[in-house]
PDB file of all heavy atoms in Angstrom:
ATOM      1  N   ASP I 139       8.665   5.059   0.611  1.00  0.00           N
ATOM      2  CA  ASP I 139       7.307   4.658   0.247  1.00  0.00           C
ATOM      3  C   ASP I 139       7.224   3.217  -0.245  1.00  0.00           C
ATOM      4  O   ASP I 139       6.335   2.460   0.163  1.00  0.00           O
ATOM      5  CB  ASP I 139       6.773   5.613  -0.832  1.00  0.00           C
ATOM      6  CG  ASP I 139       5.422   5.182  -1.359  1.00  0.00           C
ATOM      7  OD1 ASP I 139       4.406   5.559  -0.764  1.00  0.00           O
ATOM      8  OD2 ASP I 139       5.393   4.446  -2.371  1.00  0.00           O
ATOM      9  N   PHE I 140       8.127   2.816  -1.125  1.00  0.00           N
ATOM     10  CA  PHE I 140       8.080   1.474  -1.708  1.00  0.00           C
ATOM     11  C   PHE I 140       8.201   0.408  -0.612  1.00  0.00           C
ATOM     12  O   PHE I 140       7.469  -0.590  -0.591  1.00  0.00           O
ATOM     13  CB  PHE I 140       9.212   1.332  -2.731  1.00  0.00           C
ATOM     14  CG  PHE I 140       9.075   0.167  -3.671  1.00  0.00           C
ATOM     15  CD1 PHE I 140       7.946  -0.630  -3.703  1.00  0.00           C
ATOM     16  CD2 PHE I 140      10.104  -0.124  -4.565  1.00  0.00           C
ATOM     17  CE1 PHE I 140       7.837  -1.700  -4.584  1.00  0.00           C
ATOM     18  CE2 PHE I 140      10.005  -1.181  -5.449  1.00  0.00           C
ATOM     19  CZ  PHE I 140       8.878  -1.971  -5.459  1.00  0.00           C
ATOM     20  N   ILE I 141       9.110   0.634   0.340  1.00  0.00           N
ATOM     21  CA  ILE I 141       9.288  -0.300   1.451  1.00  0.00           C
ATOM     22  C   ILE I 141       8.028  -0.344   2.299  1.00  0.00           C
ATOM     23  O   ILE I 141       7.569  -1.419   2.726  1.00  0.00           O
ATOM     24  CB  ILE I 141      10.490   0.116   2.325  1.00  0.00           C
ATOM     25  CG1 ILE I 141      11.766   0.240   1.486  1.00  0.00           C
ATOM     26  CG2 ILE I 141      10.684  -0.859   3.478  1.00  0.00           C
ATOM     27  CD1 ILE I 141      12.164  -1.013   0.770  1.00  0.00           C
ATOM     28  N   ILE I 142       7.442   0.818   2.561  1.00  0.00           N
ATOM     29  CA  ILE I 142       6.238   0.881   3.378  1.00  0.00           C
ATOM     30  C   ILE I 142       5.072   0.189   2.683  1.00  0.00           C
ATOM     31  O   ILE I 142       4.294  -0.538   3.326  1.00  0.00           O
ATOM     32  CB  ILE I 142       5.885   2.347   3.706  1.00  0.00           C
ATOM     33  CG1 ILE I 142       7.020   3.019   4.488  1.00  0.00           C
ATOM     34  CG2 ILE I 142       4.570   2.429   4.460  1.00  0.00           C
ATOM     35  CD1 ILE I 142       7.376   2.359   5.800  1.00  0.00           C
ATOM     36  N   GLN I 143       4.931   0.379   1.378  1.00  0.00           N
ATOM     37  CA  GLN I 143       3.862  -0.314   0.657  1.00  0.00           C
ATOM     38  C   GLN I 143       4.008  -1.822   0.790  1.00  0.00           C
ATOM     39  O   GLN I 143       3.015  -2.553   0.922  1.00  0.00           O
ATOM     40  CB  GLN I 143       3.856   0.089  -0.817  1.00  0.00           C
ATOM     41  CG  GLN I 143       3.378   1.506  -1.076  1.00  0.00           C
ATOM     42  CD  GLN I 143       2.917   1.722  -2.506  1.00  0.00           C
ATOM     43  OE1 GLN I 143       2.296   0.848  -3.117  1.00  0.00           O
ATOM     44  NE2 GLN I 143       3.215   2.904  -3.050  1.00  0.00           N
ATOM     45  N   ALA I 144       5.250  -2.298   0.781  1.00  0.00           N
ATOM     46  CA  ALA I 144       5.486  -3.746   0.916  1.00  0.00           C
ATOM     47  C   ALA I 144       5.185  -4.218   2.331  1.00  0.00           C
ATOM     48  O   ALA I 144       4.436  -5.188   2.537  1.00  0.00           O
ATOM     49  CB  ALA I 144       6.934  -4.061   0.545  1.00  0.00           C
ATOM     50  N   MET I 145       5.740  -3.530   3.334  1.00  0.00           N
ATOM     51  CA  MET I 145       5.640  -4.000   4.711  1.00  0.00           C
ATOM     52  C   MET I 145       4.258  -3.810   5.321  1.00  0.00           C
ATOM     53  O   MET I 145       3.858  -4.546   6.231  1.00  0.00           O
ATOM     54  CB  MET I 145       6.689  -3.301   5.571  1.00  0.00           C
ATOM     55  CG  MET I 145       8.117  -3.683   5.228  1.00  0.00           C
ATOM     56  SD  MET I 145       9.336  -2.898   6.312  1.00  0.00           S
ATOM     57  CE  MET I 145       8.964  -3.669   7.894  1.00  0.00           C
ATOM     58  N   SER I 146       3.512  -2.816   4.835  1.00  0.00           N
ATOM     59  CA  SER I 146       2.200  -2.511   5.411  1.00  0.00           C
ATOM     60  C   SER I 146       1.112  -3.479   4.972  1.00  0.00           C
ATOM     61  O   SER I 146       0.003  -3.452   5.506  1.00  0.00           O
ATOM     62  CB  SER I 146       1.773  -1.101   5.010  1.00  0.00           C
ATOM     63  OG  SER I 146       1.512  -1.047   3.614  1.00  0.00           O
ATOM     64  N   GLY I 147       1.391  -4.313   3.970  1.00  0.00           N
ATOM     65  CA  GLY I 147       0.373  -5.201   3.434  1.00  0.00           C
ATOM     66  C   GLY I 147      -0.290  -4.678   2.180  1.00  0.00           C
ATOM     67  O   GLY I 147      -1.026  -5.407   1.513  1.00  0.00           O
ATOM     68  N   LEU I 148      -0.020  -3.404   1.829  1.00  0.00           N
ATOM     69  CA  LEU I 148      -0.687  -2.831   0.661  1.00  0.00           C
ATOM     70  C   LEU I 148      -0.356  -3.607  -0.616  1.00  0.00           C
ATOM     71  O   LEU I 148      -1.234  -3.886  -1.432  1.00  0.00           O
ATOM     72  CB  LEU I 148      -0.297  -1.362   0.509  1.00  0.00           C
ATOM     73  CG  LEU I 148      -0.934  -0.617  -0.668  1.00  0.00           C
ATOM     74  CD1 LEU I 148      -2.452  -0.600  -0.551  1.00  0.00           C
ATOM     75  CD2 LEU I 148      -0.396   0.818  -0.749  1.00  0.00           C
ATOM     76  N   MET I 149       0.918  -3.975  -0.787  1.00  0.00           N
ATOM     77  CA  MET I 149       1.300  -4.698  -2.001  1.00  0.00           C
ATOM     78  C   MET I 149       0.711  -6.100  -2.047  1.00  0.00           C
ATOM     79  O   MET I 149       0.519  -6.659  -3.127  1.00  0.00           O
ATOM     80  CB  MET I 149       2.821  -4.750  -2.139  1.00  0.00           C
ATOM     81  CG  MET I 149       3.431  -3.441  -2.591  1.00  0.00           C
ATOM     82  SD  MET I 149       5.222  -3.516  -2.774  1.00  0.00           S
ATOM     83  CE  MET I 149       5.373  -4.717  -4.106  1.00  0.00           C
ATOM     84  N   SER I 150       0.412  -6.663  -0.883  1.00  0.00           N
ATOM     85  CA  SER I 150      -0.133  -8.028  -0.850  1.00  0.00           C
ATOM     86  C   SER I 150      -1.556  -8.097  -1.375  1.00  0.00           C
ATOM     87  O   SER I 150      -2.057  -9.179  -1.686  1.00  0.00           O
ATOM     88  CB  SER I 150      -0.088  -8.584   0.577  1.00  0.00           C
ATOM     89  OG  SER I 150      -1.124  -8.057   1.378  1.00  0.00           O
TER      90      SER I 150
END
Side-chain angles (χ1 to χ4, degrees):
D139 174 87
F140 196 7
I141 304 301
I142 300 301
Q143 289 200 38
M145 293 183 66
S146 68
L148 181 61
M149 284 181 64
S150 77

